[in-house]
Amino acid sequence: MSLSPVEGVALAEIESGTDPVGPAAKGVVGRSPGQLAWLRLRRDRTAVVSGVLLIFFLLLGLSAPLIEMAYGIGPREQFQNMLDGFGMPLGYAGGVSGEHWFGLEPNLGRDIFIRLIYGLRTSLFIAFAAALITATIGIVLGALAGYLGGWLDAVINWITDLTLAMPFLIIALALTPTITLRFYGERGQVSSAFGVGVLIAVFAIFGWTSTARLVRGQVIALREREFVEAARASGAGLGHMLFRQLLPNIWAPILVSFSLAVPQFITSEAALSFIGVGLSDETPSFGRMIYDSLDFLQTDPAYVFFPGIMIFALVFAFNLFGDALRDALDPKSSR
């Protein structure tokens, strides 16, 4: 009798005698693959440190309105009285003080710290929303193509190849302003919600292909297994086959793909905002802040330092955690 991959992973751990937690747990058997992955993840110091850092960033982003209330300064407030005649912040390191922890923006005098908090919230929302949408599209199309095959598989593969052949940056440069002009015109003030929605839509159009190919390959490898044949012989429908038999056995690579897609969308959002086709200046964004700070690299280096180090730490933590998660979900991993 053939076992499903989920059952096979747990059985392989038991038969191999490997112990993910130490000698004290050698008598414990029957752990699920999820429990085994969690035990490996807890032992990985890199995963623990990066996971704590990601939780910290998520809490900062979610509590942005509360931080604004406690801080007493909003992201759009301007302090022109704290700028000199050349528009530069008064004081040391770009106006860093007890009132303005990270200083002020030159020319406009907005508080950098509170704009970083809201920029973090914006980046995380766009990245997670885009990752969820692209994962959903990729899972559905990949599962259908892998399980049904035939002409549907050929059509989905053709669409995937066509999407991969399109240069993302060039299409984004042309598509984003075009959509904005279509709805707001040349002089209309673009709302923050609209700009965020356009970016998520652009990422969703191009970001689903890797997940679709991953799921298609995994489903093709599983669709002829005996447990799938048994479910099909018992009269199971398409939905049952996909969501009860196949997808539960490939959740590990999907989860890893999702964790690595989030930092990719964070950097993509920052890059588009940096070149001026992403979010407007009214919406706090890491990329927009770094772009605005380029003219002040010599006179106010703190202006570029704080958003730069924030996006670096965020993306670095996501990448480290994604790699650790991949190692934890791999039953053949030696870590």
Side-chain angles (χ1 to χ4, degrees):
M1 178 180 179
S2 176
L3 297 175
S4 70
V6 170
E7 297 168 337
V9 169
L11 183 60
E13 290 282 353
I14 297 172
E15 291 179 347
S16 62
T18 56
D19 185 4
V21 294
K26 287 185 177 179
V28 179
V29 294
R31 297 187 187 95
S32 68
Q35 291 173 325
L36 295 170
W38 172 246
L39 292 173
R40 293 193 198 97
L41 203 62
R42 282 169 47 185
R43 293 174 58 207
D44 193 335
R45 294 181 180 178
T46 301
V48 173
V49 173
S50 59
V52 170
L53 190 58
L54 288 179
I55 292 174
F56 173 71
F57 282 133
L58 289 173
L59 291 177
L60 282 182
L62 292 174
S63 59
L66 299 178
I67 294 176
E68 178 185 353
M69 293 176 57
Y71 192 57
I73 299 174
R76 293 180 176 85
E77 291 186 46
Q78 298 185 11
F79 298 88
Q80 297 286 343
N81 61 321
M82 302 187 69
L83 304 178
D84 61 18
F86 299 97
M88 300 301 297
L90 298 172
Y92 296 99
V96 174
S97 64
E99 184 181 359
H100 304 285
W101 295 352
F102 289 175
L104 298 173
E105 292 181 342
N107 294 333
L108 295 178
R110 295 178 298 193
D111 187 88
I112 294 178
F113 170 77
I114 196 63
R115 287 187 67 81
L116 279 179
I117 297 299
Y118 274 92
L120 176 65
R121 184 188 191 192
T122 301
S123 294
L124 289 176
F125 176 77
I126 292 176
F128 275 102
L132 284 173
I133 294 174
T134 55
T136 302
I137 296 174
I139 289 171
V140 172
L141 293 181
L144 288 174
Y147 182 72
L148 296 178
W151 66 268
L152 182 61
D153 184 24
V155 170
I156 293 177
N157 273 330
W158 181 82
I159 296 175
T160 302
D161 293 336
L162 179 65
T163 305
L164 289 172
M166 295 181 181
F168 167 74
L169 186 58
I170 296 177
I171 298 297
L173 284 171
L175 189 62
T176 305
T178 302
I179 296 176
T180 302
L181 289 174
R182 172 64 178 82
F183 285 92
Y184 283 89
E186 295 183 359
R187 299 184 180 180
Q189 181 63 37
V190 181
S191 66
S192 299
F194 181 82
V196 169
V198 170
L199 279 182
I200 294 175
V202 171
F203 292 153
I205 292 174
F206 292 93
W208 58 271
T209 53
S210 59
T211 303
R213 286 195 163 184
L214 172 67
V215 173
R216 175 183 176 272
Q218 295 289 327
V219 170
I220 289 177
L222 292 177
R223 68 183 181 185
E224 304 300 333
R225 297 287 293 272
E226 293 180 2
F227 72 96
V228 177
E229 294 288 348
R232 189 184 297 116
S234 65
L238 178 62
H240 178 86
M241 296 299 303
L242 294 180
F243 297 103
R244 298 296 298 276
Q245 297 294 329
L246 293 172
L247 291 182
N249 289 292
I250 60 174
W251 63 270
I254 293 175
L255 186 59
V256 172
S257 176
F258 178 87
S259 67
L260 295 176
V262 173
Q264 178 184 351
F265 290 130
I266 291 176
T267 54
S268 297
E269 180 272 323
L272 290 178
S273 297
F274 179 83
I275 59 180
V277 297
L279 302 175
S280 63
D281 185 63
E282 291 297 318
T283 306
S285 166
F286 292 148
R288 190 73 187 186
M289 292 182 70
I290 295 175
Y291 172 76
D292 292 338
S293 68
L294 292 181
D295 294 332
F296 307 96
L297 284 176
Q298 294 183 346
T299 56
D300 189 6
Y303 187 18
V304 69
F305 172 77
F306 289 115
I309 198 67
M310 179 74 81
I311 192 173
F312 168 78
L314 180 62
V315 174
F316 189 56
F318 265 112
N319 285 329
L320 286 180
F321 187 79
D323 291 339
L325 183 64
R326 178 177 54 195
D327 293 335
L329 293 172
D330 183 6
K332 298 180 181 180
S333 174
S334 58
R335 296 181 60 179

